[in-house]
Every structure is written in structure tokens, then in C-alpha cells.
Amino acid sequence: MTAQPTVPLDPAPDLRATPGPPRHLAIIMDGNGRWAKERGLPRIRGHQAGAHAVRMVTEACCELGIEYLTVYAFSTENWKRPAEEVMALFGLLEHFIAAELPTLMENNVQLQAIGRLRELPINAQCALEDAIRKTSTNTGLTLVLALNYSGRAELEDAIREVCQDVAAGRLLPEVFTQEHLRNHLYTRAWPDPDLLIRTSGEMRLSNFLLWQLSYTELYVTPKLWPDFGKADLLEAIQEFHRRQRRYGGI
Ligand code: IPE
Ligand code: IPE
Ligand code: MG
């Protein structure tokens, strides 16, 4: 019998060698359409390749010991796209959830979602609810899908709830603070992101986590999302470690 190799055959970088990963990583996964266009393929093929990148990056976050990964998958503004693309995206979401559930369970990942979820197609809602329930007792990485999400809609929903508290006499306007508002955000259970990655080079937030990104470190890469892999994530985290976070201090 031949001896087992003593060195790993996989040349991928060892992510565990990185010191102190960010607790919460947020990603604007952009560039699927351009990735497909470059190859003369329909846009949905770019989204399919993008789903594969989500799988790779989620796995890398587990290896790294990142606690929360929030990914922008569909914005409230993305309904402006052709109905055919929107429907294909939700079909892909359903397929992705079903295909990934065993791996999420195996990797102890808890799935969560933020956004106006009740406006999603019913099949997507059911698939999502089912996976959220089945992974609810997992204690590793929390993977948050932002779906039919926008920062302004989130603030609108949170402020509406605060107004309801005031109208019902549960909260006096004089004692209202930003903490009350924070406690009504979709993300109230989690810390704010430490690092935001945006792929495909656009220098904008596109209505993502407007409140939560106040002191988040920003990292924009020209790589298109389907091309973004473990080595790119490691590079972003290394850059994050070079940043000095001052929070307004000196
Ligand atoms: C991001 O890729 C995915 C979604 C917004 C759903 P895009 O579809 O925006 O890709 P580009 O920006 O057109 O290349
Ligand atoms: C942001 O990407 C939304 C998601 C990644 C889901 P967009 O492609 O929609 O953003 P804009 O239109 O370039 O600002
Ligand atoms: Mg885009």
C-alpha cells in the first residue's frame, strides 16, 4: 500500500492562518450580468455562476471563523429588471436553497433573511422559511440573505414600528433614542458589519444597510462576483487588517 501524502493536495490558501477575521462581513455581489455578457451568455448564466461563488465564499467564511455573512442578493430596486430575469432569479434562489441545505447543515450554518420577504414569490418564501427553520439551531456562521431588501425600506419599516409604539403609549417621544430605532431594524440581533466588499468596481452602496454601515470598512474590487473566490476574500481581509479604525477618535 502506498503511503498517504503528508502535504495537502489542494493549493488553496490556508484561511485559518489569517489573524482575527472580521466578525461580520457584508457583500454587495455585483457583476453577474457583465460576467455573462463577456462570455456571450444570457444574464441568468451569470447569476448561476454567482450562486456558485456564494457557496465558495460561505465555505471560506466557515473556515475563517467569521460569525456573520450578509449578502445582498436582490434589492427592492431590482424589480425594475425584465420580468424574465426576476423570475429566473427567484427560481435560482429556490434551487440554491434546496441544493445547499445539506451543506449548510453539515457546516453548522444558520440561514437567515432580511428584507420585505412577504413580497417574494410564494415558492421562494416557502423554501426560505423551511431552510431557516431547519438551520435555526445551528451555531456556526450565520448566513443572512438580503432579499427584496433596501436600507431605506428597512428604515421605513423600523420607523413605522416606532410610531406604533408611540401611538400605543408604549414609548414617549422625549425618551426616544437611536437605540430604540436600532431595536426595530431587521438586523437588530447582530453586530454591524466590520467589512463591506463590493465586487465589479462600482463605488456606491446601492441602498444596502444604510444604517449599519456607518463605521464599516469599505473594500471595492474590480473582480466580477462570479470570479470572486477564496483567494480574493483573503486579500480583502488582509487589507481590512491594514486599516486603522478610529470611530471618530484619534
Ligand atoms: C448582481 O449582478 C446580482 C443582482 C443584482 C441580482 P448584476 O445582475 O447586477 O450584474 P451587472 O451589474 O449587470 O453586471
Ligand atoms: C446591488 O446591485 C444589488 C445587489 C447586488 C442585489 P445593482 O446592480 O442592483 O446596483 P446598481 O444598480 O448598479 O446600483
Ligand atoms: Mg449590478
Side-chain angles (χ1 to χ4, degrees), residues 167-182:
R170 290 189 293 267
L171 177 69
L172 289 170
E174 305 86 83
V175 302
F176 168 79
T177 65
Q178 54 181 279
E179 275 313 298
H180 289 104
L181 190 56
R182 193 190 178 281

Side-chain angles (χ1 to χ4, degrees), residues 31 61 131 154 195 209 212:
C61 286
E154 178 180 29
L195 173 64
L209 300 175
Q212 297 86 343

Side-chain angles (χ1 to χ4, degrees), residues 30-31 34 81 198:
D30 198 15
R34 278 163 278 180
R81 296 184 178 202
R198 182 166 186 152

Side-chain angles (χ1 to χ4, degrees), residues 126 134 214 238:
C126 291
K134 287 183 174 142
S214 296
Q238 277 165 353

Side-chain angles (χ1 to χ4, degrees), residues 29-34 43 78 81 198 200 202 204:
M29 311 183 291
D30 198 15
N32 295 351
R34 278 163 278 180
R43 289 178 61 87
N78 289 148
R81 296 184 178 202
R198 182 166 186 152
S200 91
E202 308 305 348
R204 55 178 173 259

Side-chain angles (χ1 to χ4, degrees), residues 92-135:
L92 181 62
L93 174 72
E94 255 182 84
H95 178 263
F96 176 81
I97 292 170
E100 291 308 310
L101 189 56
T103 315
L104 295 179
M105 294 305 291
E106 210 172 292
N107 290 337
N108 198 21
V109 176
Q110 185 182 126
L111 188 72
Q112 294 280 357
I114 55 171
R116 290 183 172 167
L117 305 176
R118 271 171 290 186
E119 294 169 10
L120 297 182
I122 192 69
N123 289 352
Q125 278 188 56
C126 291
L128 202 56
E129 271 170 31
D130 180 61
I132 289 172
R133 190 172 39 78
K134 287 183 174 142
T135 63

